[in-house]
Amino acid sequence: MNKSKKLLPLFFLVIFLMVSLKIDYRFVEAIPCCQDDHDYYSHTETIAIDRDFNYDNQLKGYENKRFNNNGKIAPKGFVGTGILAAPFLFIGNLLDQFVERFNIFENNIYNFKILFYSFASIFYFFMSIYLIFQTINTYIYKIKIEEIILIFFGSGLSYFAFERYSMTHTFEAFTVSLIIFLSYKYYKEENNKTITGFLIPFAILLGLLVRWVNYYLF
């Protein structure tokens, strides 16, 4: 029994590597217009690379397919996913530039921008698991991390973390988990209430930026 418990973390590590390092991430050259996936990717790209919130590059040739108001074009999706995923795309873009500059691969089939962008949803998926586990285990009752993992993987959320990684679902789960964690921390602990109270409205704002119709966050 003890041996099985010791092997359990290794088992989850192997599963994590198998599902997160999927081969198809390396052969996708772009996320094409015009669907929700592309909307959120466009936000991420203009934040991480262009840094101008001008979507001419992202919607070139598709100016009338999404939002267009007197020539001002923009995706229809919400910007919060782009904000959360931007650091990952930024790192991927740096790697792409490094590989291109030094010609590391003779026939480069890697797209590090897409690869690292896809890692964003996986990161926030597991961060959600961690935050919910910490909330329940610290403030409600003792629970095993394996139980939380099974709940999350059984919810269908893993599909959007590993397959439809450009959608908002895992980012929504993260912001909601963050708000729950901070709220419990604020009401249950006496220390650092000022910092926690300061962070809660920012977490709610981030949640609304991911999807503004999530009014229940209040």
Side-chain angles (χ1 to χ4, degrees):
M1 188 67 178
N2 291 332
K3 186 177 181 180
S4 299
K5 287 184 177 180
K6 290 180 180 179
L7 290 175
L8 194 60
L10 179 62
F11 170 77
F12 279 113
L13 177 61
V14 171
I15 295 297
F16 169 72
L17 291 175
M18 289 175 64
V19 296
S20 62
L21 301 177
K22 292 169 82 272
I23 190 68
D24 60 345
Y25 290 156
R26 292 154 176 80
F27 293 97
V28 177
E29 295 182 0
I31 299 177
C33 189
C34 293
Q35 294 180 338
D36 292 343
D37 306 67
H38 180 263
D39 282 358
Y40 304 124
Y41 180 74
S42 296
H43 285 305
T44 311
E45 197 172 51
T46 196
I47 293 170
I49 300 175
D50 297 342
R51 296 187 288 275
D52 58 5
F53 278 102
N54 185 321
Y55 297 92
D56 290 343
N57 295 340
Q58 288 72 34
L59 294 172
K60 187 176 182 179
Y62 299 96
E63 288 81 3
N64 295 317
K65 295 293 184 180
R66 308 313 276 167
F67 175 82
N68 191 325
N69 183 24
N70 296 324
K72 180 65 176 178
I73 58 176
K76 291 182 179 180
F78 310 103
V79 72
T81 298
I83 295 172
L84 288 170
F88 294 85
L89 185 63
F90 178 77
I91 294 171
N93 184 58
L94 289 179
L95 287 173
D96 272 338
Q97 292 177 342
F98 180 81
V99 168
E100 183 179 353
R101 180 176 180 181
F102 294 99
N103 196 23
I104 295 177
F105 300 118
E106 184 176 350
N107 295 311
N108 184 26
I109 60 174
Y110 291 86
N111 187 325
F112 287 108
K113 284 197 301 184
I114 301 294
L115 176 65
F116 275 78
Y117 176 68
S118 71
F119 287 160
S121 62
I122 299 172
F123 171 80
Y124 290 112
F125 175 73
F126 283 100
M127 279 300 298
S128 301
I129 292 175
Y130 173 77
L131 289 172
I132 292 298
F133 170 71
Q134 286 295 324
T135 302
I136 296 175
N137 192 56
T138 305
Y139 302 113
I140 303 176
Y141 63 89
K142 296 299 179 183
I143 190 172
K144 295 180 180 179
I145 185 65
E146 293 89 343
E147 295 176 295
I148 302 296
I149 291 174
L150 288 174
I151 291 171
F152 269 76
F153 271 90
S155 68
L157 189 63
S158 56
Y159 168 75
F160 293 96
F162 299 106
E163 291 289 336
R164 296 292 299 278
Y165 49 82
S166 192
M167 298 295 282
T168 64
H169 299 66
T170 52
F171 301 93
E172 289 182 74
F174 168 73
T175 54
V176 172
S177 302
L178 181 62
I179 293 169
I180 292 172
F181 172 76
L182 291 174
S183 297
Y184 264 97
K185 187 177 180 63
Y186 180 82
Y187 285 107
K188 295 290 186 178
E189 296 183 4
E190 293 298 328
N191 298 328
N192 299 323
K193 274 203 168 186
T194 303
I195 297 175
T196 307
F198 180 77
L199 291 175
I200 289 174
F202 281 98
I204 294 174
L205 174 62
L206 191 58
L208 293 174
L209 288 175
V210 170
R211 187 173 289 277
W212 71 271
V213 294
N214 291 343
Y215 55 88
Y216 59 83
L217 294 178
F218 288 106

